[in-house]
Amino acid sequence: MKGFLITYFLLFSLFSVAQFDDETENKTVFGGTNFIAKNAAGQVGIKSKDGKEVVPFVYNKIIENHLGLFVFKVNKSNGYERSYSLGYYNKQFKQILPCQYNSLLALEDGFIIASQNSDKKFGLIDTIGRIIIPFEYDEMAAPSEGLFLTKVREKYGFINKKNNTVIDHKFAYASPFSEGLAAASKSKLIGFINRRGDFEIKERFTSADDFTYGYAQVFFYNQTSVVNPAGEILFPFIFKSIHAVGNGQFVFETSENLRNTLVTTLPQLKIAQKPDELSQYDSIITTMDSEIDSEMGEKFMGVLNALGQLVGGNEFTQVIHIHSEGTEQLYAVQKKSDEENANSNYNFALMDGNGRILSEYRFFEVKPEEKIVVEETENGFVNYRVDPSGKLTKID
């Protein structure tokens, strides 16, 4: 489940290794003439253009980030799993942190969350090596809305950068704040707390995602819906995934057998308020195992508004959200198989927030984070940057 905290902390505590897999030898650093190189023994260092050793060749990996360089040494191990010790050089190639850390995470505001090799405790360091928050936490996530989510003695709470406890460590589960609320639990079910540590939305879900565009995806086991900050659940739990994308619209995936009946089914169903009420959906849902379904046949994806009305119809197998700017929404959509239009079987078209198709089904690939769509032509692939209205600008 997306909301489980272990996923979040694995992401960030191991981020210092995982984020660097694509880095390559001979890459210049800091936009200058120094570059990452490897010696005959396979050890990595930094050389200048004239061959001078800038960072010694004693590391297994060196990675540039916005604060400087993280350097890695492979730990000795009798097993097959590789682990690293990490250190840090600033942009002047001065070593600030020796390779004595289990993980390092560079924050946007110029600080580093670090975990010590000796006891795996987390703390916060600045770029000259000063300890800002002592190494006393079992887990520590990147700050969100000014607060660090931390774990002490098997309980989660929140601190600020001065290491003052803002919300006591009293939760069996918690996630970082988003839009003023944080998923948390003192029991087996999950709700949302405010910045006072009080439950704004009571504990009644098995998992939950962050709030975005005013809503959060919430789970009863493998079935999902969305909730607003007042704790109101918008739809029955008959979705494999559903998330807000702005302007009161939601991209969803649900069972293929609901393709022709979703619009009439939704208004007739009571909204489950607790897990044991899920059985009311058994007769209309054949399976909610998205991993199995995605491997077998077509998916049913689409766009709903807050009233449960389909935007653009029920013919899509993929919907990719690209823009939410002001009142404009833009999606890339792929149609259900259509023998009369073979291109729609795998190509994407652009669709606006009113459900109007703005282009032919001509795009081979969609890169939503870059706002780019790719067309395959006889002369090769052509990239276009797309604005919120669907206007295309060719990228040379």
Side-chain angles (χ1 to χ4, degrees), residues 114-180:
S115 171
Q116 294 176 318
N117 272 347
S118 57
D119 57 8
K120 304 297 189 294
K121 296 290 187 181
F122 285 82
L124 188 70
I125 304 174
D126 68 12
T127 53
I128 62 174
R130 295 179 301 187
I131 297 175
I132 307 303
I133 295 177
F135 289 86
E136 57 188 24
Y137 297 101
D138 300 319
E139 292 175 0
M140 187 175 187
S144 179
E145 301 186 3
L147 298 179
F148 294 83
L149 171 64
T150 52
K151 182 181 180 182
V152 176
R153 294 183 292 277
E154 302 302 318
K155 295 292 184 181
Y156 293 94
F158 295 84
I159 64 171
N160 60 23
K161 191 175 287 185
K162 295 182 179 180
N163 200 30
N164 296 325
T165 298
V166 177
I167 298 175
D168 288 339
H169 292 79
K170 57 185 179 181
F171 299 100
Y173 161 89
S175 67
F177 274 87
S178 58
E179 299 186 2

Side-chain angles (χ1 to χ4, degrees), residues 12 63 83 98 137 151 155 172 206 257 279-280 298 326 390:
F12 285 102
I63 307 301
S83 63
Y137 297 101
K151 182 181 180 182
K155 295 292 184 181
T206 57
N257 66 305
S279 59
Q280 66 179 295
E298 294 177 328

Side-chain angles (χ1 to χ4, degrees), residues 365-368 370-374 383-386 395:
E365 184 181 2
V366 181
K367 302 176 182 179
E370 302 170 63
K371 317 302 183 189
I372 289 173
V373 291
V374 183
N383 291 267
Y384 299 92
R385 196 169 305 279
V386 58
I395 303 174

